Amino acid sequence: MTDRLNTDVLVVGGGTGGVAAALQAARRGANTILVSEFTWLGGMLTSAGVSAPDGNELLAFQTGLWGAFLQELKRRQPEGLDWGWVSFFTFNPRVGAEIFADWVSQQPNLHWISGYKPQEVLKQDDKIIGVRFSEFTVYAEITVDATELGDLLALAEVPYRWGWELQTEWEEPSAPIIANSLTKSCPVQAPTWVAILRDFGENAVSPEIPAPTIDNPEQFVGAWEGYGAEQFLNYGRLPGGLMMINWPCRGNDYGEGLNRLIQSPAQQQEFFQESRWHTQSFVRFIQKQLGRRYGLASGLFPSPQPTTHIQPQDPLDTSFALHLYYRESRRLQGLTIIREQDILPMPGGNVAPLPINDTTGECDAIAIGNYPNDHHYTQDIFPVKLKYLRWGGRWTGTPFTIPYRALIPVKTEGLLVCEKNISVSHIANGATRLQPVVLGIGQAAGMAAALCIAYRCQPRDLSVHRLQQELLHDPVAPAAIIPLFNLLPNRPDWVDKQCYYLEYPEAYPTHGYCDLEFSSQQIYSHLSLQTLKSQSSNPVDLNPKSYEQLSTPEVEESRSCFKGVFHRTQEQNYTLTLTFPQQLAAKTWTLVTLDAEIDRQLKQCINGSQVSVKGRINHSGYWFIVEVIEQS
């Protein structure tokens, strides 16, 4: 391999944010090199084993690379995505890794190198100019830190945060007033080493899971108390009898000596080994308690060591994720900080406030999230201010946005971040850390990096307006920036309405619904697609890609039809007692939806009325996902 490589954009880290950044930078025309530590791309979604993504589940938020990924998953996993109850989308992580690898291979100006970690960051004054790896050095105009733990921040001595901020810092309502035992023992959220089990069948006897060097089964007693064994196993159920083991209640979260993650390599490896043993102990406990029909899903992940037909793969390697599922990392000190107040609903509303640049007055948003604020600690349960609402017959999180300035260091040039290492408080990180929002952050970072190359500017000097327009008009995966419950991406005025609220953020409705009858096209005609095309240096066609229609013959064929008696037990809590099909008569299912129009119709259904619905059943969650509804 050549000792010195030169490129426009260097992305270090092939996780969720990194693969999105590299894809978007290359698709926008920048010569891009992606260097990953592992042989699978996708991070949280694939190589860390958490193939049950949380957040951005509503149809209106399934846009950008996140939406494109879901559509491709549906195509490649014909048995569907409705398997577990922790997420609306569960899939074989190998399928996800293949999608990302195929997408990367299709970009002629994207070069992917796997198996390397950064060793040194090269700087010229306050500008990062390259990164040295063990066998080569990459020089780049723009470098993107997409590592799982914000490694480039430490190597480049870019100021970052690690640990808690007290309430005196930003007056976050859930922040502790003073340091306590939890803030000292758990400086960041606990990570998890995910393992995948397989159900081998009722009378099967799978190989016994061996005990690890450190085995403490007593710590798992009561892990599924209050749930039951079946519901526990269905939590992260995947197709093909697979079960993702990422269980927070007396399960395999691991938080002993978390500071070791950013100390010496030897201490980091020590933490890795202990967390793997911890998960091995937990899956052995599951097998001991629930029987040998459940065993390791050998061969699911690639072996860390080359294998031959003579030396079979070790099931402890190939059923365990390639690396830890990190919930928190070093966090950049950026041009702005995402605080808890920035992700909470506005007073009396359903959505968080839009981020506004204090200097320019512009809306600074570049990505959408909506996950509730979820914190994992192994010692205590930490309560945070609630940020969720009932919608579509279920609970979902308050929508919020990520500001562009949270990706940019205060002083350092030539650098963007796009993983859990963005500029965010410890408290707010509980909502910004999830897979779909990180895909959006990565897509925005990759687009910004390519635009910096095109316009020969630094990230801090890039027009956020230009970045937003390019994201909205991307020819492959146009991404929503303003969260609106009822603005679906297949509407012809989708871009117009997104642009309107970017131009007039003061008009953003606190309830999160836009007026679908209101035409905003002439109000900001200067933002027209034709203007953007004439100003763009991108040679590709900027016509927005049409999303898959909500109703096609193929989709209709895959939907199941049910009839029954509709019940509303309370606001946004709906059930259907079936009368058809006959074999399921008298069974009752919870009705949920991801579609704003169906949500509206459910609100109007009369209690006790006969209704017909089409959609998909989720047997693990005991819910019916409604896509079409007709009231008799």
Side-chain angles (χ1 to χ4, degrees):
M1 182 176 292
T2 306
D3 290 337
R4 175 178 176 136
L5 302 173
N6 295 281
T7 190
D8 294 329
V9 176
L10 167 65
V11 179
V12 182
T16 304
V19 67
L23 279 167
Q24 188 61 73
R27 287 175 175 176
R28 184 54 181 79
N31 291 319
T32 304
I33 291 178
L34 169 62
V35 182
S36 69
E37 180 179 355
F38 302 101
T39 55
W40 274 14
L41 295 172
M44 294 183 282
L45 285 164
T46 58
S47 53
V50 194
S51 53
D54 288 310
N56 290 38
E57 77 281 13
L58 306 186
L59 286 180
F61 306 155
Q62 293 179 25
T63 70
L65 287 172
W66 162 238
F69 181 67
L70 282 182
Q71 292 297 329
E72 188 63 13
L73 276 177
K74 292 173 185 177
R75 190 181 73 82
R76 298 198 189 197
Q77 189 168 285
E79 59 267 56
L81 305 178
D82 303 300
W83 293 91
W85 58 266
V86 66
S87 169
F88 277 91
F89 321 104
T90 62
F91 56 93
N92 187 315
R94 182 176 291 275
V95 175
E98 290 170 352
I99 291 172
F100 290 127
D102 289 347
W103 283 355
V104 164
S105 68
Q106 292 164 9
Q107 304 305 312
N109 55 333
L110 173 53
H111 182 43
W112 172 31
I113 305 170
S114 67
Y116 294 91
K117 297 176 64 174
Q119 304 295 316
E120 179 186 6
V121 172
L122 308 179
K123 297 175 71 175
Q124 193 172 73
D125 299 324
D126 281 334
K127 184 178 187 297
I128 290 176
I129 60 172
V131 177
R132 181 180 65 81
F133 300 87
S134 59
E135 298 181 17
F136 57 94
T137 298
V138 182
Y139 290 84
E141 290 298 318
I142 301 293
T143 298
V144 180
D145 185 352
T147 57
E148 294 289 342
L149 286 170
D151 294 340
L152 297 192
L153 301 181
L155 290 171
E157 298 181 337
V158 175
Y160 63 84
R161 298 179 178 89
W162 174 269
W164 297 65
E165 293 88 15
L166 300 180
Q167 205 167 98
T168 52
E169 187 87 27
W170 296 300
E171 299 182 349
E172 294 178 292
S174 302
I177 297 173
I178 59 173
N180 54 47
S181 59
L182 180 62
T183 65
K184 294 174 182 177
S185 62
C186 299
V188 292
Q189 292 195 57
T192 304
W193 207 301
V194 172
I196 307 292
L197 295 183
R198 184 185 301 277
D199 182 352
F200 286 85
E202 188 172 355
N203 298 315
V205 179
S206 66
E208 181 179 0
I209 300 173
T213 302
I214 299 176
D215 185 28
N216 296 315
E218 63 277 2
Q219 65 189 313
F220 307 119
V221 173
W224 46 86
E225 183 178 344
Y227 292 90
E230 182 180 7
Q231 193 174 10
F232 160 72
L233 293 172
N234 284 339
Y235 174 80
R237 185 171 286 278
L238 312 176
L242 302 176
M243 291 158 288
M244 176 195 72
I245 305 302
N246 171 32
W247 186 250
C249 310
R250 300 182 188 178
N252 53 329
D253 290 357
Y254 191 73
E256 298 297 322
L258 285 160
N259 283 330
R260 290 180 291 172
L261 287 170
I262 60 168
Q263 292 174 348
S264 70
Q267 289 172 303
Q268 190 180 68
Q269 288 300 318
E270 184 180 74
F271 185 93
F272 292 163
Q273 181 63 77
E274 289 175 14
S275 57
R276 271 184 62 107
W277 282 340
H278 182 71
T279 291
Q280 184 178 343
S281 185
F282 185 45
V283 294
R284 176 179 167 83
F285 173 83
I286 294 169
Q287 188 182 63
K288 290 283 188 182
Q289 294 295 310
L290 302 183
R292 294 275 290 276
R293 70 177 287 177
Y294 304 109
L296 294 173
S298 178
L300 186 66
F301 295 98
S303 175
Q305 301 294 331
T307 59
T308 67
H309 66 282
I310 300 174
Q311 188 177 20
Q313 294 176 328
D314 184 346
L316 284 174
D317 285 337
T318 60
S319 60
F320 279 59
L322 294 178
H323 59 88
L324 272 170
Y325 167 39
Y326 298 98
R327 294 184 174 88
E328 194 168 353
S329 81
R330 301 175 180 92
R331 306 185 309 279
L332 174 73
Q333 291 188 26
L335 295 179
T336 192
I337 177 79
I338 304 171
R339 310 158 304 161
E340 186 182 21
Q341 299 95 310
D342 302 317
I343 62 172
L344 294 175
M346 291 184 276
N350 296 326
V351 293
L354 297 177
I356 305 298
N357 186 317
D358 294 335
T359 303
T360 66
E362 290 180 297
C363 176
D364 200 30
I366 46 84
I368 287 175
N370 80 317
Y371 192 65
N373 202 354
D374 180 30
H375 281 243
H376 285 238
Y377 306 101
T378 55
Q379 297 184 11
D380 298 286
I381 296 176
F382 180 72
V384 293
K385 194 172 178 63
L386 301 181
K387 64 167 295 292
Y388 51 76
L389 68 153
R390 287 199 66 89
W391 191 98
R394 50 180 286 277
W395 290 105
T396 189
T398 301
F400 60 89
T401 57
I402 302 294
Y404 174 53
R405 290 172 298 154
L407 282 57
I408 305 171
V410 172
K411 291 184 178 180
T412 308
E413 305 286 15
L415 178 68
L416 287 161
V417 299
C418 73
E419 254 290 340
K420 293 168 286 287
N421 55 355
I422 62 173
S423 181
V424 61
S425 72
H426 171 74
I427 297 294
N429 169 78
T432 64
R433 64 180 175 81
L434 281 305
Q435 306 98 319
V437 67
V438 172
L439 271 177
I441 293 168
Q443 183 173 4
M447 183 70 85
L451 292 174
C452 286
I453 299 301
Y455 293 103
R456 299 184 179 181
C457 67
Q458 287 299 310
R460 74 186 65 250
D461 301 319
L462 179 66
S463 163
V464 70
H465 168 75
R466 165 64 61 182
L467 173 58
Q468 292 162 340
Q469 292 300 308
E470 295 268 358
L471 288 168
L472 286 169
H473 291 95
D474 183 73
V476 179
I481 296 171
I482 302 295
L484 294 157
F485 292 109
N486 59 337
L487 185 63
L488 300 189
N490 63 337
R491 286 183 60 92
D493 59 351
W494 178 76
V495 170
D496 291 340
K497 292 191 183 301
Q498 286 280 317
C499 289
Y500 175 74
Y501 292 109
L502 286 171
E503 185 78 357
Y504 304 101
E506 67 278 3
Y508 182 51
T510 60
H511 49 65
Y513 290 82
C514 65
D515 183 352
L516 295 178
E517 302 303 319
F518 171 66
S519 176
S520 52
Q521 187 171 7
Q522 293 184 354
I523 294 179
Y524 52 92
S525 58
H526 60 289
L527 301 178
S528 68
L529 177 60
Q530 193 59 44
T531 301
L532 180 66
K533 290 173 69 174
S534 66
Q535 294 176 354
S536 176
S537 60
N538 187 358
V540 302
D541 184 11
L542 287 173
N543 286 314
K545 179 183 177 182
S546 297
Y547 272 67
E548 179 182 337
Q549 294 181 2
L550 296 181
S551 181
T552 65
E554 293 79 9
V555 171
E556 289 292 341
E557 182 67 25
S558 68
R559 288 170 172 155
S560 299
C561 182
F562 294 83
K563 297 179 182 179
V565 181
F566 175 85
H567 299 285
R568 178 185 287 103
T569 56
Q570 59 184 0
E571 184 66 25
Q572 285 286 351
N573 194 342
Y574 316 116
T575 62
L576 185 69
T577 302
L578 297 181
T579 58
F580 176 86
Q582 190 62 43
Q583 64 269 27
L584 295 178
K587 288 194 175 183
T588 299
W589 292 82
T590 297
L591 298 181
V592 301
T593 188
L594 306 179
D595 186 333
E597 175 57 24
I598 302 300
D599 174 61
R600 185 189 67 80
Q601 294 178 32
L602 286 171
K603 290 177 182 177
Q604 295 178 348
C605 279
I606 300 171
N607 195 33
S609 63
Q610 293 281 336
V611 300
S612 298
V613 296
K614 290 184 179 180
R616 312 183 312 275
I617 277 184
N618 183 303
H619 292 277
S620 294
Y622 304 107
W623 62 61
F624 187 93
I625 305 169
V626 183
E627 296 175 335
V628 176
I629 185 168
E630 297 175 359
Q631 189 169 4
S632 302

Short mmCIF file of all heavy atoms in Angstrom, two decimals, residues 482-515:
data_model
loop_
_atom_site.label_atom_id
_atom_site.label_comp_id
_atom_site.label_asym_id
_atom_site.label_seq_id
_atom_site.Cartn_x
_atom_site.Cartn_y
_atom_site.Cartn_z
N ILE A 482 -36.81 19.82 8.83
CA ILE A 482 -37.81 20.31 9.78
C ILE A 482 -38.77 19.17 10.10
O ILE A 482 -39.41 18.62 9.19
CB ILE A 482 -38.60 21.50 9.19
CG1 ILE A 482 -37.65 22.65 8.82
CG2 ILE A 482 -39.66 21.97 10.17
CD1 ILE A 482 -36.94 23.28 9.99
N PRO A 483 -38.92 18.79 11.37
CA PRO A 483 -39.84 17.70 11.70
C PRO A 483 -41.29 18.17 11.72
O PRO A 483 -41.66 19.05 12.50
CB PRO A 483 -39.38 17.25 13.09
CG PRO A 483 -38.53 18.34 13.64
CD PRO A 483 -38.13 19.24 12.53
N LEU A 484 -42.09 17.60 10.85
CA LEU A 484 -43.52 17.90 10.76
C LEU A 484 -44.26 16.56 10.65
O LEU A 484 -44.02 15.80 9.72
CB LEU A 484 -43.83 18.79 9.55
CG LEU A 484 -43.24 20.20 9.64
CD1 LEU A 484 -43.10 20.82 8.26
CD2 LEU A 484 -44.12 21.09 10.53
N PHE A 485 -45.12 16.27 11.61
CA PHE A 485 -45.76 14.97 11.69
C PHE A 485 -46.49 14.58 10.41
O PHE A 485 -46.52 13.41 10.03
CB PHE A 485 -46.76 14.94 12.86
CG PHE A 485 -46.15 15.02 14.22
CD1 PHE A 485 -46.27 16.17 14.99
CD2 PHE A 485 -45.46 13.94 14.75
CE1 PHE A 485 -45.71 16.23 16.25
CE2 PHE A 485 -44.91 14.00 16.01
CZ PHE A 485 -45.03 15.16 16.77
N ASN A 486 -47.13 15.55 9.76
CA ASN A 486 -48.02 15.23 8.65
C ASN A 486 -47.45 15.56 7.28
O ASN A 486 -48.16 15.53 6.28
CB ASN A 486 -49.36 15.95 8.82
CG ASN A 486 -49.21 17.47 8.88
OD1 ASN A 486 -48.14 17.98 9.22
ND2 ASN A 486 -50.27 18.19 8.57
N LEU A 487 -46.16 15.87 7.19
CA LEU A 487 -45.56 16.20 5.89
C LEU A 487 -44.76 15.00 5.40
O LEU A 487 -43.59 14.82 5.74
CB LEU A 487 -44.67 17.43 6.01
CG LEU A 487 -44.08 17.94 4.69
CD1 LEU A 487 -45.17 18.38 3.73
CD2 LEU A 487 -43.08 19.08 4.94
N LEU A 488 -45.42 14.16 4.59
CA LEU A 488 -44.77 12.95 4.09
C LEU A 488 -43.90 13.27 2.88
O LEU A 488 -44.23 14.14 2.08
CB LEU A 488 -45.81 11.90 3.73
CG LEU A 488 -46.73 11.44 4.87
CD1 LEU A 488 -47.55 10.25 4.43
CD2 LEU A 488 -45.94 11.11 6.12
N PRO A 489 -42.78 12.55 2.72
CA PRO A 489 -41.82 12.89 1.65
C PRO A 489 -42.32 12.61 0.24
O PRO A 489 -41.65 13.01 -0.71
CB PRO A 489 -40.61 12.02 2.00
CG PRO A 489 -41.15 10.92 2.83
CD PRO A 489 -42.29 11.48 3.60
N ASN A 490 -43.46 11.95 0.08
CA ASN A 490 -43.96 11.72 -1.27
C ASN A 490 -44.88 12.84 -1.76
O ASN A 490 -45.37 12.80 -2.88
CB ASN A 490 -44.70 10.38 -1.35
CG ASN A 490 -45.94 10.35 -0.46
OD1 ASN A 490 -46.04 11.10 0.50
ND2 ASN A 490 -46.88 9.48 -0.79
N ARG A 491 -45.10 13.87 -0.93
CA ARG A 491 -45.93 15.00 -1.37
C ARG A 491 -45.15 15.88 -2.36
O ARG A 491 -43.95 16.13 -2.16
CB ARG A 491 -46.34 15.85 -0.16
CG ARG A 491 -47.41 15.23 0.71
CD ARG A 491 -47.79 16.19 1.83
NE ARG A 491 -48.30 17.46 1.30
CZ ARG A 491 -49.58 17.72 1.07
NH1 ARG A 491 -50.50 16.80 1.33
NH2 ARG A 491 -49.95 18.89 0.59
N PRO A 492 -45.79 16.39 -3.39
CA PRO A 492 -45.09 17.24 -4.36
C PRO A 492 -44.61 18.56 -3.77
O PRO A 492 -43.69 19.18 -4.31
CB PRO A 492 -46.14 17.47 -5.45
CG PRO A 492 -47.45 17.19 -4.81
CD PRO A 492 -47.20 16.13 -3.79
N ASP A 493 -45.23 19.01 -2.66
CA ASP A 493 -44.82 20.28 -2.04
C ASP A 493 -43.94 20.06 -0.81
O ASP A 493 -43.76 20.96 0.00
CB ASP A 493 -46.06 21.10 -1.65
CG ASP A 493 -46.97 20.37 -0.66
OD1 ASP A 493 -46.74 19.17 -0.41
OD2 ASP A 493 -47.91 21.01 -0.15
N TRP A 494 -43.37 18.84 -0.69
CA TRP A 494 -42.54 18.52 0.47
C TRP A 494 -41.38 19.49 0.61
O TRP A 494 -41.15 20.06 1.69
CB TRP A 494 -42.04 17.07 0.34
CG TRP A 494 -41.15 16.62 1.45
CD1 TRP A 494 -41.52 16.25 2.71
CD2 TRP A 494 -39.72 16.45 1.40
NE1 TRP A 494 -40.41 15.88 3.45
CE2 TRP A 494 -39.31 15.98 2.66
CE3 TRP A 494 -38.77 16.65 0.41
CZ2 TRP A 494 -37.97 15.71 2.95
CZ3 TRP A 494 -37.44 16.38 0.69
CH2 TRP A 494 -37.05 15.92 1.94
N VAL A 495 -40.62 19.72 -0.45
CA VAL A 495 -39.47 20.62 -0.39
C VAL A 495 -39.93 22.05 -0.08
O VAL A 495 -39.32 22.75 0.73
CB VAL A 495 -38.66 20.58 -1.70
CG1 VAL A 495 -37.62 21.69 -1.73
CG2 VAL A 495 -37.99 19.23 -1.86
N ASP A 496 -41.02 22.48 -0.73
CA ASP A 496 -41.51 23.84 -0.52
C ASP A 496 -41.81 24.11 0.95
O ASP A 496 -41.42 25.15 1.49
CB ASP A 496 -42.78 24.07 -1.34
CG ASP A 496 -42.52 24.12 -2.84
OD1 ASP A 496 -41.36 24.35 -3.21
OD2 ASP A 496 -43.46 23.92 -3.62
N LYS A 497 -42.48 23.18 1.58
CA LYS A 497 -42.87 23.41 2.97
C LYS A 497 -41.66 23.30 3.90
O LYS A 497 -41.56 24.03 4.89
CB LYS A 497 -43.98 22.44 3.38
CG LYS A 497 -45.30 22.72 2.65
CD LYS A 497 -46.45 21.95 3.24
CE LYS A 497 -47.73 22.19 2.43
NZ LYS A 497 -48.11 23.61 2.38
N GLN A 498 -40.73 22.41 3.60
CA GLN A 498 -39.49 22.36 4.37
C GLN A 498 -38.75 23.70 4.28
O GLN A 498 -38.31 24.26 5.28
CB GLN A 498 -38.59 21.23 3.86
CG GLN A 498 -39.05 19.83 4.23
CD GLN A 498 -38.67 19.45 5.64
OE1 GLN A 498 -37.55 19.70 6.09
NE2 GLN A 498 -39.60 18.86 6.36
N CYS A 499 -38.65 24.21 3.07
CA CYS A 499 -37.95 25.48 2.86
C CYS A 499 -38.64 26.64 3.56
O CYS A 499 -37.99 27.56 4.08
CB CYS A 499 -37.84 25.78 1.37
SG CYS A 499 -36.70 24.71 0.47
N TYR A 500 -39.95 26.62 3.57
CA TYR A 500 -40.70 27.72 4.19
C TYR A 500 -40.34 27.87 5.67
O TYR A 500 -40.06 28.98 6.15
CB TYR A 500 -42.21 27.50 4.05
CG TYR A 500 -43.03 28.53 4.77
CD1 TYR A 500 -43.15 29.83 4.27
CD2 TYR A 500 -43.67 28.22 5.96
CE1 TYR A 500 -43.89 30.78 4.95
CE2 TYR A 500 -44.41 29.16 6.65
CZ TYR A 500 -44.52 30.45 6.14
OH TYR A 500 -45.25 31.38 6.81
N TYR A 501 -40.32 26.76 6.39
CA TYR A 501 -40.02 26.86 7.83
C TYR A 501 -38.53 27.11 8.09
O TYR A 501 -38.17 27.65 9.14
CB TYR A 501 -40.51 25.61 8.54
CG TYR A 501 -42.03 25.53 8.56
CD1 TYR A 501 -42.70 24.58 7.80
CD2 TYR A 501 -42.77 26.42 9.32
CE1 TYR A 501 -44.09 24.53 7.79
CE2 TYR A 501 -44.16 26.37 9.33
CZ TYR A 501 -44.81 25.43 8.56
OH TYR A 501 -46.18 25.39 8.56
N LEU A 502 -37.67 26.74 7.16
CA LEU A 502 -36.26 27.11 7.29
C LEU A 502 -36.09 28.62 7.10
O LEU A 502 -35.28 29.26 7.77
CB LEU A 502 -35.42 26.36 6.27
CG LEU A 502 -35.16 24.88 6.56
CD1 LEU A 502 -34.51 24.20 5.37
CD2 LEU A 502 -34.30 24.71 7.81
N GLU A 503 -36.86 29.18 6.18
CA GLU A 503 -36.78 30.61 5.92
C GLU A 503 -37.50 31.42 7.00
O GLU A 503 -37.07 32.52 7.36
CB GLU A 503 -37.40 30.90 4.54
CG GLU A 503 -37.29 32.35 4.09
CD GLU A 503 -35.91 32.69 3.58
OE1 GLU A 503 -35.01 31.82 3.62
OE2 GLU A 503 -35.71 33.82 3.12
N TYR A 504 -38.59 30.87 7.53
CA TYR A 504 -39.38 31.57 8.55
C TYR A 504 -39.55 30.67 9.78
O TYR A 504 -40.64 30.17 10.06
CB TYR A 504 -40.75 31.96 7.98
CG TYR A 504 -40.67 32.80 6.74
CD1 TYR A 504 -40.87 32.24 5.48
CD2 TYR A 504 -40.37 34.17 6.82
CE1 TYR A 504 -40.78 33.01 4.34
CE2 TYR A 504 -40.28 34.94 5.68
CZ TYR A 504 -40.48 34.37 4.45
OH TYR A 504 -40.40 35.14 3.31
N PRO A 505 -38.46 30.44 10.51
CA PRO A 505 -38.54 29.52 11.65
C PRO A 505 -39.52 29.97 12.73
O PRO A 505 -40.02 29.14 13.49
CB PRO A 505 -37.10 29.48 12.18
CG PRO A 505 -36.46 30.73 11.67
CD PRO A 505 -37.10 31.00 10.34
N GLU A 506 -39.80 31.28 12.78
CA GLU A 506 -40.76 31.77 13.77
C GLU A 506 -42.16 31.24 13.50
O GLU A 506 -43.03 31.25 14.39
CB GLU A 506 -40.76 33.30 13.81
CG GLU A 506 -41.28 33.99 12.55
CD GLU A 506 -40.26 34.12 11.43
OE1 GLU A 506 -39.13 33.60 11.60
OE2 GLU A 506 -40.59 34.74 10.40
N ALA A 507 -42.43 30.78 12.27
CA ALA A 507 -43.75 30.24 11.93
C ALA A 507 -43.88 28.76 12.26
O ALA A 507 -44.97 28.20 12.11
CB ALA A 507 -44.01 30.46 10.43
N TYR A 508 -42.81 28.13 12.71
CA TYR A 508 -42.84 26.69 13.01
C TYR A 508 -43.87 26.42 14.10
O TYR A 508 -43.79 26.95 15.20
CB TYR A 508 -41.46 26.23 13.46
CG TYR A 508 -41.33 24.76 13.74
CD1 TYR A 508 -41.75 23.80 12.83
CD2 TYR A 508 -40.75 24.33 14.93
CE1 TYR A 508 -41.61 22.45 13.10
CE2 TYR A 508 -40.59 22.98 15.21
CZ TYR A 508 -41.03 22.04 14.29
OH TYR A 508 -40.88 20.70 14.56
N PRO A 509 -44.88 25.59 13.82
CA PRO A 509 -45.97 25.38 14.78
C PRO A 509 -45.54 24.50 15.95
O PRO A 509 -44.91 23.45 15.76
CB PRO A 509 -47.05 24.69 13.94
CG PRO A 509 -46.30 24.02 12.83
CD PRO A 509 -45.10 24.87 12.55
N THR A 510 -45.90 24.91 17.17
CA THR A 510 -45.50 24.15 18.35
C THR A 510 -46.15 22.78 18.39
O THR A 510 -45.63 21.87 19.03
CB THR A 510 -45.87 24.93 19.63
OG1 THR A 510 -47.29 25.14 19.65
CG2 THR A 510 -45.16 26.27 19.69
N HIS A 511 -47.30 22.61 17.70
CA HIS A 511 -47.96 21.30 17.69
C HIS A 511 -47.32 20.35 16.69
O HIS A 511 -47.60 19.14 16.71
CB HIS A 511 -49.45 21.43 17.41
CG HIS A 511 -49.79 22.29 16.23
ND1 HIS A 511 -49.44 21.96 14.93
CD2 HIS A 511 -50.45 23.48 16.15
CE1 HIS A 511 -49.87 22.89 14.11
NE2 HIS A 511 -50.49 23.85 14.82
N GLY A 512 -46.48 20.86 15.79
CA GLY A 512 -45.75 19.99 14.87
C GLY A 512 -46.47 19.61 13.60
O GLY A 512 -45.98 18.75 12.86
N TYR A 513 -47.60 20.25 13.32
CA TYR A 513 -48.35 19.96 12.10
C TYR A 513 -48.36 21.19 11.19
O TYR A 513 -48.63 22.30 11.66
CB TYR A 513 -49.79 19.56 12.42
CG TYR A 513 -49.93 18.23 13.09
CD1 TYR A 513 -49.74 18.09 14.46
CD2 TYR A 513 -50.25 17.09 12.35
CE1 TYR A 513 -49.85 16.85 15.08
CE2 TYR A 513 -50.38 15.85 12.96
CZ TYR A 513 -50.17 15.74 14.33
OH TYR A 513 -50.29 14.51 14.94
N CYS A 514 -48.10 20.98 9.91
CA CYS A 514 -48.17 22.10 8.98
C CYS A 514 -49.53 22.11 8.30
O CYS A 514 -50.24 21.08 8.25
CB CYS A 514 -47.06 22.01 7.94
SG CYS A 514 -47.17 20.60 6.82
N ASP A 515 -49.90 23.27 7.78
CA ASP A 515 -51.14 23.42 7.03
C ASP A 515 -50.91 22.89 5.62
O ASP A 515 -50.23 23.52 4.81
CB ASP A 515 -51.57 24.88 7.00
CG ASP A 515 -52.90 25.10 6.30
OD1 ASP A 515 -53.42 24.13 5.72
OD2 ASP A 515 -53.40 26.24 6.33
#
